[in-house]
Amino acid sequence: MSAHAPSDDSFHGHAHFATPPPGVTVRHDWTLPEVRALYALPLLELIHKAQSVHRAVFQDNKVQLCSLLSIKTGGCPEDCGYCPQAARHHTGVKAEKLMPVEAVLSSAAQARAAGATRFCMGAAWREVKDGPQFDSVLEMVKGVKALGMEACATLGMLSESQAARLREAGLSAYNHNLDTSAEHYGDIISTRTYDDRLRTLERVRKAGISVCSGGIIGLGESVEDRCGLLLTLANQEVHPESVPINALVAVKGTPLENQKPVESVEMVRTIATARLLMPLSMVRLSAGRKQMNEEAQLLCMLAGANSIFFGDKLLTTGNPEYAQDMALLEKAGIRPMEPDMSR
């Protein structure tokens, strides 16, 4: 086996390679003009560049299926302008208690049976509070891992000790999106700073948990903001192992309810640029997929997306049906990743 050939057990939802294969360079010193120049390339040239890198790193033409469950819905004290779960927004989302551990693990088992290899649990909290609820989340993480799935959580801000406890429970990845550029962030959220988000990512990384961090396009940001978000992610000391790219799902009752839908081409450009900036990362085609036709979704995969969230709901917004997803992948000859019982 060559130094760069993937082994059977070297791919766990992230890159095949601990170091980049020949011809692929991993950088952490990108400049904004460089990122803007990539984003502005003629679309077919951009896709070709991104696909070339993608094929060099991810050689098995597989897509990871991820399932996301809202384990604690609504009542969040934050004011994120896009989020229907904020208590101050009148969206019809009712605050609910944390789900019982058994119910969450039942959902995880169903997701695994349907083909998911990663199960993400989302709680509408500003930050994690120590106590019985956090202890329940730790039990959920242990249970998901026992099913042979990657366990991911998004619970808001974390302390160092909480990150360490999640790691001890077996958490594979922690999702904490930057959402947009530092410059545009204050127009979207005022209850948590950009530095708060970066500090949480540092604590996750320090605890030895994989980082899942991306953003949302369609928040009224400029192209420079969009590139600034990707620049911040790509210039971290270690790239996020997972980079979800979301398109805003405008929900009535939120401050961003009247935003125009994101054009599919902009999703493709953002995904392709992310693939070029962070070649070893999983790039996840996330929220907003329901608004895209099959051809647009496949174009995103061609541009470097190799993970999708599936199921009928992403937290509180719709998502393509499972049968549709399976039919699309089958038509395209794209195989889902198999569960890895070693994780």
Side-chain angles (χ1 to χ4, degrees):
M1 183 183 296
S2 71
H4 291 286
S7 65
D8 290 340
D9 61 358
S10 63
F11 184 52
H12 301 304
H14 307 303
H16 285 97
F17 306 102
T19 56
V24 176
T25 301
V26 175
R27 290 177 51 186
H28 306 269
D29 60 349
W30 293 93
T31 66
L32 187 57
E34 286 178 312
V35 178
R36 286 208 60 169
L38 285 177
Y39 190 92
L41 284 171
L43 184 64
L44 297 185
E45 182 181 349
L46 176 60
I47 293 173
H48 175 70
K49 285 179 176 290
Q51 174 64 194
S52 297
V53 168
H54 185 75
R55 291 175 76 89
V57 176
F58 298 94
Q59 300 179 337
D60 55 8
N61 195 36
K62 292 183 180 180
V63 167
Q64 186 180 34
L65 303 181
C66 308
S67 184
L68 175 59
L69 177 68
S70 179
I71 61 173
K72 193 280 173 190
T73 302
C76 182
E78 300 268 42
D79 68 350
C80 305
Y82 52 81
C83 185
Q85 301 201 64
R88 68 192 70 198
H89 301 156
H90 303 290
T91 61
V93 174
K94 296 181 179 179
E96 299 176 3
K97 295 180 179 179
L98 183 70
M99 290 176 63
V101 173
E102 296 76 13
V104 171
L105 297 184
S106 175
S107 292
Q110 292 174 28
R112 188 189 186 284
T117 61
R118 187 181 183 103
F119 189 75
C120 189
M121 295 161 280
W125 291 327
R126 181 176 188 273
E127 57 195 340
V128 174
K129 303 289 187 184
D130 289 319
Q133 288 193 320
F134 185 50
D135 293 341
S136 291
V137 172
L138 297 176
E139 291 304 310
M140 294 173 192
V141 170
K142 292 175 184 176
V144 171
K145 291 290 288 187
L147 291 170
M149 304 175 79
E150 294 181 14
C152 177
T154 177
L155 313 169
M157 294 183 288
L158 293 176
S159 67
E160 286 190 11
S161 64
Q162 290 163 343
R165 291 180 68 192
L166 285 166
R167 181 67 184 94
E168 289 170 7
L171 191 71
S172 308
Y174 193 82
N175 169 255
H176 201 64
N177 290 332
L178 295 181
D179 289 344
T180 188
S181 70
E183 292 75 18
H184 187 56
Y185 183 85
D187 295 332
I188 306 300
I189 303 159
S190 69
T191 50
R192 187 192 320 184
T193 69
Y194 211 68
D195 284 342
D196 285 335
R197 291 184 181 266
L198 290 171
R199 276 191 290 270
T200 293
L201 294 183
E202 289 173 5
R203 290 166 183 163
V204 169
R205 179 69 69 195
K206 182 178 179 181
I209 300 169
S210 291
V211 170
C212 176
S213 187
I216 307 170
I217 67 172
L219 302 177
E221 77 281 356
S222 65
V223 169
E224 185 144 326
D225 288 318
R226 206 169 287 172
C227 292
L229 164 68
L230 296 176
L231 177 73
T232 300
L233 294 169
N235 280 354
Q236 291 188 39
E237 187 175 345
V238 179
H239 289 163
E241 286 84 356
S242 175
V243 182
I245 303 297
N246 301 274
L248 174 69
V249 178
V251 176
K252 186 176 181 180
T254 64
L256 297 178
E257 64 178 336
N258 295 318
Q259 283 293 321
K260 295 180 180 179
V262 173
E263 293 185 5
S264 297
V265 167
E266 296 305 302
M267 279 291 281
V268 174
R269 283 191 178 278
T270 305
I271 285 169
T273 305
R275 170 54 64 218
L276 291 169
L277 297 177
M278 295 166 279
L280 304 186
S281 301
M282 294 291 287
V283 177
R284 303 187 187 275
L285 176 57
S286 302
R289 199 160 59 85
K290 189 174 183 178
Q291 284 70 48
M292 303 172 70
N293 62 28
E294 290 187 344
E295 291 77 14
Q297 293 181 55
L298 290 174
L299 202 55
C300 286
M301 294 178 198
L302 185 66
N306 55 346
S307 175
I308 60 173
F309 283 92
F310 81 120
D312 62 356
K313 187 178 285 189
L314 282 181
L315 294 182
T316 58
T317 57
N319 199 45
E321 297 289 343
Y322 168 77
Q324 282 180 255
D325 288 334
M326 295 302 101
L328 173 61
L329 295 180
E330 185 174 354
K331 281 189 288 187
I334 298 172
R335 292 175 295 156
M337 280 177 50
E338 299 86 3
D340 179 2
M341 291 302 292
S342 70
R343 289 180 65 79

